[in-house]
Short mmCIF file of all heavy atoms in Angstrom, two decimals:
data_model
loop_
_atom_site.label_atom_id
_atom_site.label_comp_id
_atom_site.label_asym_id
_atom_site.label_seq_id
_atom_site.Cartn_x
_atom_site.Cartn_y
_atom_site.Cartn_z
N LYS B 1 -86.56 83.26 -46.47
CA LYS B 1 -87.68 84.23 -46.16
C LYS B 1 -87.89 85.23 -47.16
O LYS B 1 -86.98 85.83 -47.65
CB LYS B 1 -87.41 84.77 -44.67
CG LYS B 1 -87.60 83.91 -43.54
CD LYS B 1 -87.37 84.62 -42.21
CE LYS B 1 -87.44 83.74 -41.10
NZ LYS B 1 -87.10 84.33 -39.78
N GLY B 2 -89.20 85.38 -47.46
CA GLY B 2 -89.56 86.39 -48.48
C GLY B 2 -89.43 85.86 -49.91
O GLY B 2 -89.97 86.53 -50.81
N ARG B 3 -88.91 84.71 -50.14
CA ARG B 3 -88.76 84.14 -51.44
C ARG B 3 -89.53 82.79 -51.60
O ARG B 3 -90.02 82.59 -52.65
CB ARG B 3 -87.28 83.88 -51.80
CG ARG B 3 -86.42 85.13 -51.75
CD ARG B 3 -85.02 84.82 -52.32
NE ARG B 3 -84.34 83.84 -51.43
CZ ARG B 3 -83.82 82.69 -51.98
NH1 ARG B 3 -83.95 82.41 -53.26
NH2 ARG B 3 -83.15 81.85 -51.18
N PHE B 4 -89.60 82.09 -50.55
CA PHE B 4 -90.22 80.71 -50.65
C PHE B 4 -91.53 80.79 -49.77
O PHE B 4 -91.57 81.47 -48.77
CB PHE B 4 -89.33 79.64 -50.02
CG PHE B 4 -88.16 79.26 -50.85
CD1 PHE B 4 -87.71 80.08 -51.89
CD2 PHE B 4 -87.41 78.18 -50.58
CE1 PHE B 4 -86.56 79.78 -52.74
CE2 PHE B 4 -86.28 77.85 -51.27
CZ PHE B 4 -85.83 78.69 -52.33
N THR B 5 -92.53 80.06 -50.19
CA THR B 5 -93.78 79.86 -49.51
C THR B 5 -94.30 78.46 -49.55
O THR B 5 -94.21 77.80 -50.56
CB THR B 5 -94.87 80.74 -50.11
OG1 THR B 5 -94.39 82.10 -50.21
CG2 THR B 5 -96.15 80.71 -49.32
N THR B 6 -94.62 77.96 -48.38
CA THR B 6 -95.07 76.52 -48.30
C THR B 6 -96.53 76.59 -48.03
O THR B 6 -97.08 77.51 -47.30
CB THR B 6 -94.31 75.77 -47.25
OG1 THR B 6 -94.72 74.35 -47.34
CG2 THR B 6 -94.53 76.23 -45.83
N SER B 7 -97.21 75.64 -48.54
CA SER B 7 -98.70 75.56 -48.29
C SER B 7 -99.15 74.07 -48.44
O SER B 7 -98.33 73.16 -48.83
CB SER B 7 -99.45 76.44 -49.36
OG SER B 7 -99.15 75.98 -50.64
N ARG B 8 -100.44 73.83 -48.15
CA ARG B 8 -100.92 72.50 -48.14
C ARG B 8 -102.33 72.56 -48.74
O ARG B 8 -103.19 73.43 -48.31
CB ARG B 8 -100.89 71.86 -46.80
CG ARG B 8 -101.54 70.52 -46.69
CD ARG B 8 -101.36 69.93 -45.24
NE ARG B 8 -102.17 68.75 -45.06
CZ ARG B 8 -103.16 68.70 -44.19
NH1 ARG B 8 -103.44 69.72 -43.47
NH2 ARG B 8 -103.80 67.57 -44.01
N ASP B 9 -102.65 71.58 -49.62
CA ASP B 9 -103.98 71.36 -50.07
C ASP B 9 -104.45 70.03 -49.47
O ASP B 9 -104.07 68.97 -49.94
CB ASP B 9 -104.13 71.33 -51.56
CG ASP B 9 -105.47 71.21 -52.13
OD1 ASP B 9 -106.33 70.66 -51.35
OD2 ASP B 9 -105.76 71.55 -53.26
N SER B 10 -105.25 70.12 -48.37
CA SER B 10 -105.58 68.89 -47.61
C SER B 10 -106.50 67.95 -48.49
O SER B 10 -106.40 66.77 -48.39
CB SER B 10 -106.25 69.17 -46.31
OG SER B 10 -107.42 69.96 -46.53
N ALA B 11 -107.29 68.52 -49.34
CA ALA B 11 -108.15 67.73 -50.26
C ALA B 11 -107.39 66.82 -51.21
O ALA B 11 -107.82 65.77 -51.55
CB ALA B 11 -109.17 68.66 -51.00
N LYS B 12 -106.18 67.33 -51.62
CA LYS B 12 -105.34 66.65 -52.48
C LYS B 12 -104.23 65.87 -51.79
O LYS B 12 -103.34 65.35 -52.47
CB LYS B 12 -104.82 67.61 -53.53
CG LYS B 12 -105.85 68.25 -54.45
CD LYS B 12 -105.11 69.12 -55.49
CE LYS B 12 -106.18 69.68 -56.43
NZ LYS B 12 -105.61 70.69 -57.40
N ASN B 13 -104.15 66.02 -50.46
CA ASN B 13 -103.00 65.37 -49.71
C ASN B 13 -101.69 65.88 -50.31
O ASN B 13 -100.75 65.05 -50.37
CB ASN B 13 -103.15 63.88 -49.76
CG ASN B 13 -104.38 63.38 -48.96
OD1 ASN B 13 -104.70 63.89 -47.93
ND2 ASN B 13 -105.00 62.38 -49.52
N THR B 14 -101.63 67.10 -50.68
CA THR B 14 -100.44 67.59 -51.37
C THR B 14 -99.87 68.83 -50.58
O THR B 14 -100.65 69.74 -50.17
CB THR B 14 -100.71 67.95 -52.74
OG1 THR B 14 -101.17 66.79 -53.41
CG2 THR B 14 -99.43 68.44 -53.49
N VAL B 15 -98.56 68.88 -50.44
CA VAL B 15 -97.86 70.01 -49.84
C VAL B 15 -97.05 70.65 -50.93
O VAL B 15 -96.44 69.96 -51.85
CB VAL B 15 -96.94 69.53 -48.76
CG1 VAL B 15 -96.18 70.64 -48.15
CG2 VAL B 15 -97.82 68.86 -47.63
N TYR B 16 -96.98 72.02 -50.89
CA TYR B 16 -96.27 72.67 -51.97
C TYR B 16 -95.17 73.55 -51.36
O TYR B 16 -95.19 74.03 -50.20
CB TYR B 16 -97.27 73.61 -52.77
CG TYR B 16 -98.38 72.94 -53.32
CD1 TYR B 16 -99.67 72.85 -52.71
CD2 TYR B 16 -98.24 72.29 -54.57
CE1 TYR B 16 -100.65 72.14 -53.31
CE2 TYR B 16 -99.31 71.58 -55.17
CZ TYR B 16 -100.55 71.58 -54.52
OH TYR B 16 -101.56 70.91 -55.16
N LEU B 17 -94.20 73.81 -52.22
CA LEU B 17 -93.11 74.73 -51.91
C LEU B 17 -92.99 75.63 -53.19
O LEU B 17 -92.38 75.18 -54.14
CB LEU B 17 -91.82 74.09 -51.55
CG LEU B 17 -90.70 75.11 -51.08
CD1 LEU B 17 -91.04 75.82 -49.83
CD2 LEU B 17 -89.32 74.39 -50.98
N GLN B 18 -93.46 76.87 -53.05
CA GLN B 18 -93.31 77.87 -54.09
C GLN B 18 -91.98 78.56 -53.85
O GLN B 18 -91.79 79.16 -52.80
CB GLN B 18 -94.43 78.86 -54.18
CG GLN B 18 -94.36 80.01 -55.21
CD GLN B 18 -94.41 79.37 -56.57
OE1 GLN B 18 -95.31 78.55 -56.89
NE2 GLN B 18 -93.51 79.88 -57.51
N MET B 19 -91.08 78.53 -54.88
CA MET B 19 -89.75 79.11 -54.76
C MET B 19 -89.62 80.27 -55.79
O MET B 19 -89.62 79.93 -57.04
CB MET B 19 -88.72 78.06 -54.95
CG MET B 19 -88.89 76.85 -54.00
SD MET B 19 -87.50 75.63 -54.03
CE MET B 19 -87.65 75.08 -55.77
N ASN B 20 -89.48 81.39 -55.35
CA ASN B 20 -89.29 82.56 -56.28
C ASN B 20 -87.90 83.20 -56.10
O ASN B 20 -87.23 82.88 -55.07
CB ASN B 20 -90.35 83.61 -56.01
CG ASN B 20 -91.81 83.14 -56.25
OD1 ASN B 20 -91.97 82.26 -57.17
ND2 ASN B 20 -92.70 83.62 -55.50
N SER B 21 -87.46 83.98 -57.04
CA SER B 21 -86.15 84.71 -56.96
C SER B 21 -85.07 83.72 -56.58
O SER B 21 -84.24 83.99 -55.72
CB SER B 21 -86.27 85.85 -55.94
OG SER B 21 -87.23 86.74 -56.25
N LEU B 22 -85.06 82.57 -57.28
CA LEU B 22 -84.06 81.55 -56.98
C LEU B 22 -82.59 82.03 -57.21
O LEU B 22 -82.37 82.80 -58.17
CB LEU B 22 -84.30 80.28 -57.78
CG LEU B 22 -85.55 79.42 -57.32
CD1 LEU B 22 -86.16 78.53 -58.38
CD2 LEU B 22 -85.15 78.71 -56.09
N LYS B 23 -81.74 81.51 -56.40
CA LYS B 23 -80.24 81.88 -56.38
C LYS B 23 -79.52 80.54 -56.72
O LYS B 23 -79.91 79.49 -56.33
CB LYS B 23 -79.93 82.45 -55.16
CG LYS B 23 -80.71 83.69 -54.72
CD LYS B 23 -80.27 84.21 -53.31
CE LYS B 23 -81.11 85.49 -52.92
NZ LYS B 23 -80.63 85.97 -51.56
N PRO B 24 -78.30 80.69 -57.14
CA PRO B 24 -77.41 79.52 -57.36
C PRO B 24 -77.28 78.76 -56.04
O PRO B 24 -77.21 77.49 -56.04
CB PRO B 24 -76.17 80.02 -57.85
CG PRO B 24 -76.59 81.32 -58.72
CD PRO B 24 -77.71 81.83 -57.79
N GLU B 25 -77.27 79.41 -54.95
CA GLU B 25 -77.05 78.67 -53.65
C GLU B 25 -78.26 77.93 -53.23
O GLU B 25 -78.16 77.27 -52.15
CB GLU B 25 -76.65 79.74 -52.58
CG GLU B 25 -77.46 80.95 -52.45
CD GLU B 25 -76.94 82.13 -53.22
OE1 GLU B 25 -76.52 81.99 -54.32
OE2 GLU B 25 -77.00 83.27 -52.67
N ASP B 26 -79.38 78.10 -53.91
CA ASP B 26 -80.53 77.25 -53.64
C ASP B 26 -80.49 75.87 -54.36
O ASP B 26 -81.26 74.98 -54.07
CB ASP B 26 -81.78 77.93 -54.10
CG ASP B 26 -82.16 79.21 -53.41
OD1 ASP B 26 -81.96 79.28 -52.16
OD2 ASP B 26 -82.51 80.22 -54.09
N THR B 27 -79.37 75.61 -55.06
CA THR B 27 -79.15 74.35 -55.68
C THR B 27 -78.97 73.30 -54.60
O THR B 27 -78.19 73.38 -53.74
CB THR B 27 -78.02 74.39 -56.65
OG1 THR B 27 -78.20 75.30 -57.66
CG2 THR B 27 -77.63 73.01 -57.17
N ALA B 28 -79.88 72.21 -54.71
CA ALA B 28 -79.84 71.21 -53.73
C ALA B 28 -80.84 70.13 -54.09
O ALA B 28 -81.69 70.30 -55.05
CB ALA B 28 -80.17 71.74 -52.40
N ILE B 29 -80.82 69.06 -53.36
CA ILE B 29 -81.93 68.05 -53.50
C ILE B 29 -82.94 68.48 -52.40
O ILE B 29 -82.45 68.69 -51.16
CB ILE B 29 -81.42 66.62 -53.12
CG1 ILE B 29 -80.37 66.20 -54.25
CG2 ILE B 29 -82.56 65.70 -53.22
CD1 ILE B 29 -79.76 64.82 -54.02
N TYR B 30 -84.20 68.61 -52.73
CA TYR B 30 -85.22 68.97 -51.81
C TYR B 30 -86.05 67.80 -51.46
O TYR B 30 -86.44 67.03 -52.26
CB TYR B 30 -86.07 70.03 -52.44
CG TYR B 30 -85.38 71.44 -52.49
CD1 TYR B 30 -84.33 71.69 -53.32
CD2 TYR B 30 -85.80 72.51 -51.71
CE1 TYR B 30 -83.60 72.89 -53.42
CE2 TYR B 30 -85.14 73.73 -51.70
CZ TYR B 30 -84.14 73.92 -52.54
OH TYR B 30 -83.47 75.15 -52.62
N TYR B 31 -86.24 67.78 -50.11
CA TYR B 31 -87.01 66.60 -49.62
C TYR B 31 -88.28 67.13 -48.85
O TYR B 31 -88.13 68.14 -48.08
CB TYR B 31 -86.17 65.83 -48.59
CG TYR B 31 -84.90 65.21 -49.12
CD1 TYR B 31 -83.74 65.94 -49.13
CD2 TYR B 31 -84.87 63.91 -49.65
CE1 TYR B 31 -82.57 65.40 -49.62
CE2 TYR B 31 -83.70 63.40 -50.15
CZ TYR B 31 -82.56 64.17 -50.12
OH TYR B 31 -81.47 63.56 -50.65
N CYS B 32 -89.32 66.51 -48.95
CA CYS B 32 -90.46 66.81 -48.19
C CYS B 32 -90.57 65.77 -47.09
O CYS B 32 -90.07 64.65 -47.12
CB CYS B 32 -91.74 66.92 -48.90
SG CYS B 32 -92.44 65.37 -49.57
N SER B 33 -91.26 66.19 -45.96
CA SER B 33 -91.38 65.31 -44.81
C SER B 33 -92.76 65.54 -44.17
O SER B 33 -93.38 66.58 -44.35
CB SER B 33 -90.28 65.55 -43.78
OG SER B 33 -90.47 66.77 -43.14
N THR B 34 -93.16 64.53 -43.37
CA THR B 34 -94.35 64.69 -42.58
C THR B 34 -94.07 63.93 -41.27
O THR B 34 -93.30 62.98 -41.23
CB THR B 34 -95.55 64.18 -43.18
OG1 THR B 34 -96.72 64.62 -42.47
CG2 THR B 34 -95.60 62.61 -43.38
N THR B 35 -94.62 64.42 -40.18
CA THR B 35 -94.44 63.88 -38.88
C THR B 35 -95.77 63.56 -38.20
O THR B 35 -96.71 64.40 -38.23
CB THR B 35 -93.69 64.97 -38.00
OG1 THR B 35 -92.45 65.40 -38.62
CG2 THR B 35 -93.35 64.37 -36.66
N ASP B 36 -95.80 62.40 -37.58
CA ASP B 36 -96.95 62.09 -36.79
C ASP B 36 -96.43 61.66 -35.44
O ASP B 36 -95.26 61.92 -35.07
CB ASP B 36 -97.86 60.96 -37.40
CG ASP B 36 -97.10 59.64 -37.57
OD1 ASP B 36 -96.11 59.38 -36.93
OD2 ASP B 36 -97.61 58.85 -38.40
N VAL B 37 -97.28 61.09 -34.53
CA VAL B 37 -96.86 60.85 -33.14
C VAL B 37 -95.79 59.71 -33.08
O VAL B 37 -95.17 59.59 -32.11
CB VAL B 37 -98.07 60.46 -32.30
CG1 VAL B 37 -99.01 61.62 -32.14
CG2 VAL B 37 -98.72 59.25 -32.84
N ARG B 38 -95.62 58.99 -34.17
CA ARG B 38 -94.67 57.89 -34.15
C ARG B 38 -93.36 58.24 -34.79
O ARG B 38 -92.28 57.75 -34.26
CB ARG B 38 -95.30 56.69 -34.91
CG ARG B 38 -96.51 56.12 -34.31
CD ARG B 38 -97.12 55.11 -35.21
NE ARG B 38 -97.64 55.67 -36.48
CZ ARG B 38 -98.16 54.90 -37.46
NH1 ARG B 38 -98.30 53.61 -37.32
NH2 ARG B 38 -98.60 55.58 -38.47
N ALA B 39 -93.35 58.97 -35.89
CA ALA B 39 -92.06 59.10 -36.56
C ALA B 39 -92.21 60.35 -37.56
O ALA B 39 -93.18 60.91 -37.75
CB ALA B 39 -91.80 57.76 -37.31
N ILE B 40 -91.00 60.62 -38.12
CA ILE B 40 -90.94 61.49 -39.25
C ILE B 40 -90.67 60.71 -40.50
O ILE B 40 -89.84 59.71 -40.50
CB ILE B 40 -89.81 62.64 -39.02
CG1 ILE B 40 -89.80 63.62 -40.15
CG2 ILE B 40 -88.46 61.97 -38.80
CD1 ILE B 40 -88.95 64.86 -39.92
N TYR B 41 -91.34 61.04 -41.59
CA TYR B 41 -91.28 60.26 -42.83
C TYR B 41 -90.70 61.24 -43.92
O TYR B 41 -90.96 62.40 -43.98
CB TYR B 41 -92.65 59.76 -43.22
CG TYR B 41 -93.27 58.90 -42.12
CD1 TYR B 41 -94.03 59.56 -41.21
CD2 TYR B 41 -93.04 57.59 -42.03
CE1 TYR B 41 -94.77 58.87 -40.17
CE2 TYR B 41 -93.65 56.84 -41.00
CZ TYR B 41 -94.40 57.52 -40.07
OH TYR B 41 -95.02 56.74 -39.05
N TRP B 42 -89.97 60.56 -44.88
CA TRP B 42 -89.31 61.39 -45.89
C TRP B 42 -89.62 60.92 -47.30
O TRP B 42 -89.83 59.74 -47.54
CB TRP B 42 -87.79 61.33 -45.73
CG TRP B 42 -87.29 61.83 -44.46
CD1 TRP B 42 -87.17 61.15 -43.28
CD2 TRP B 42 -86.97 63.22 -44.15
NE1 TRP B 42 -86.67 62.01 -42.27
CE2 TRP B 42 -86.58 63.27 -42.79
CE3 TRP B 42 -86.89 64.40 -44.91
CZ2 TRP B 42 -86.18 64.40 -42.19
CZ3 TRP B 42 -86.53 65.58 -44.33
CH2 TRP B 42 -86.14 65.60 -42.93
N GLY B 43 -89.66 61.83 -48.25
CA GLY B 43 -89.75 61.49 -49.67
C GLY B 43 -88.31 61.13 -50.13
O GLY B 43 -87.39 61.24 -49.39
N GLN B 44 -88.32 60.84 -51.48
CA GLN B 44 -87.08 60.43 -52.08
C GLN B 44 -86.27 61.60 -52.53
O GLN B 44 -85.00 61.43 -52.88
CB GLN B 44 -87.33 59.51 -53.26
CG GLN B 44 -87.71 60.22 -54.59
CD GLN B 44 -89.05 60.89 -54.64
OE1 GLN B 44 -89.87 60.58 -53.67
NE2 GLN B 44 -89.35 61.75 -55.61
N GLY B 45 -86.80 62.76 -52.61
CA GLY B 45 -86.11 63.93 -52.98
C GLY B 45 -86.33 64.30 -54.49
O GLY B 45 -86.55 63.44 -55.22
N THR B 46 -86.14 65.66 -54.74
CA THR B 46 -86.19 66.11 -56.18
C THR B 46 -85.07 67.16 -56.28
O THR B 46 -84.90 67.98 -55.42
CB THR B 46 -87.59 66.70 -56.43
OG1 THR B 46 -87.62 67.05 -57.88
CG2 THR B 46 -88.00 67.88 -55.66
N GLN B 47 -84.37 67.13 -57.43
CA GLN B 47 -83.24 67.90 -57.67
C GLN B 47 -83.64 69.33 -58.11
O GLN B 47 -84.42 69.38 -59.10
CB GLN B 47 -82.26 67.31 -58.61
CG GLN B 47 -81.03 68.10 -58.99
CD GLN B 47 -80.06 68.37 -57.84
OE1 GLN B 47 -79.70 67.30 -57.19
NE2 GLN B 47 -79.60 69.51 -57.62
#
C-alpha cells in the first residue's frame, strides 16, 4: 500500500502494476490473473 498501483486500459486489454520504492522483499515471480463466472485464469509470471 502506498507503493504499488494497479490499473487497466480496457482499449488495450492490458492490466498494469506500477511498483515504486521497491524493496528487496518485493523479489518474487509476479503473476497476473483474471476471473470470470467460470474460472480464474493465470499468466506465466514475470520475475
Side-chain angles (χ1 to χ4, degrees):
K1 282 181 181 176
R3 301 188 298 123
F4 291 11
T5 303
T6 188
S7 61
R8 174 177 170 244
D9 185 333
S10 58
K12 296 182 178 179
N13 293 321
T14 301
V15 178
Y16 301 98
L17 183 67
Q18 177 67 44
M19 305 186 294
N20 299 325
S21 302
L22 283 161
K23 304 175 181 180
E25 51 263 44
D26 294 319
T27 294
I29 300 174
Y30 284 71
Y31 301 89
C32 69
S33 71
T34 191
T35 305
D36 63 21
V37 294
R38 295 172 295 178
I40 182 169
Y41 306 91
W42 298 92
Q44 82 288 350
T46 185
Q47 177 70 47

